Amino acid sequence: MVGAWIELPYYAFKRGRYSHGLQVMTSAVFYFAMLNFLYTHKPVQTTWIFIVPFFVTSLALMLGNWAQHAFVDPNRPESNYLLTYNCINVIDNTFCFNDGYHIIHHANSKTHWTDMPQRFLDTIDKHAEEDAICLKGMAGHEVALRLFAGKYESLADSWLDLSSPAHTREEKVQIIKDRLKPIVRKTKSS
């Protein structure tokens, strides 16, 4: 939860983006000063209007981000098609700016959300070539719940298989399990 307040300015300064780093730091100082002022005057209201929602929302966003990037291929973690998945034919896309087209977002983060379904159709061959995971009829939060419950077969059943030849259900489950394993980066020893 401190990433936005500490890691983001650090990253910005390290990359020479001083105005961005300063903006984040200024926002953080202002935000915490405001919280302190409000809490001293109205602690109950401040707790329930600002502090509790901050933690609940932060945890929900972290869970969503984890779930969207749970299927990273350990052999090719840099591939935009293998570090996330798409959720298609799901109602959530209509009210969350097509967030389910997450591979499309990674392939080109400047794609407008209204163009994502068409961009998916335009790049379906690339999805097939990369063996990207596309889940039909299942939203991101449902993916997270199934992952926590170990319902890999349910995920495999929702997998829109674009590969040729098509994966069996057992192969899909194994791919899911393989992509859930931690990725250990090899460091150069001195």
Side-chain angles (χ1 to χ4, degrees), residues 52-186:
V52 170
F54 171 80
F55 284 102
V56 170
T57 303
S58 294
L59 289 171
L61 290 171
M62 285 185 259
L63 173 64
N65 193 2
W66 172 81
Q68 286 179 322
H69 302 97
F71 298 129
V72 178
D73 186 335
N75 299 315
R76 294 183 48 214
E78 72 289 344
S79 170
N80 288 323
Y81 292 84
L82 301 174
L83 58 79
T84 186
Y85 55 88
N86 286 330
C87 293
I88 60 171
N89 297 344
V90 63
I91 192 70
D92 291 34
N93 282 338
T94 60
F95 58 83
C96 68
F97 305 101
N98 280 325
D99 190 43
Y101 291 95
H102 208 66
I103 292 173
I104 301 301
H105 163 73
H106 277 272
N108 183 354
S109 62
K110 293 181 181 179
T111 302
H112 192 270
W113 68 271
T114 57
D115 298 329
M116 288 185 174
Q118 185 59 50
R119 184 77 180 138
F120 169 70
L121 294 174
D122 294 344
T123 60
I124 204 159
D125 290 339
K126 180 70 172 169
H127 283 74
E129 176 187 324
E130 295 281 341
D131 202 17
I133 296 177
C134 297
L135 304 172
K136 61 181 186 292
M138 186 179 297
H141 65 278
E142 294 173 289
V143 174
L145 292 173
R146 283 173 173 79
L147 285 173
F148 282 129
K151 305 267 185 194
Y152 306 135
E153 292 80 9
S154 176
L155 291 165
D157 293 340
S158 295
W159 186 332
L160 174 64
D161 200 341
L162 303 171
S163 63
S164 180
H167 295 298
T168 66
R169 184 178 196 230
E170 292 74 26
E171 288 173 330
K172 291 177 185 178
V173 169
Q174 189 57 51
I175 291 170
I176 289 168
K177 287 179 179 179
D178 289 343
R179 291 194 185 179
L180 290 173
K181 293 177 183 172
I183 297 173
V184 179
R185 294 182 186 254
K186 295 177 179 144

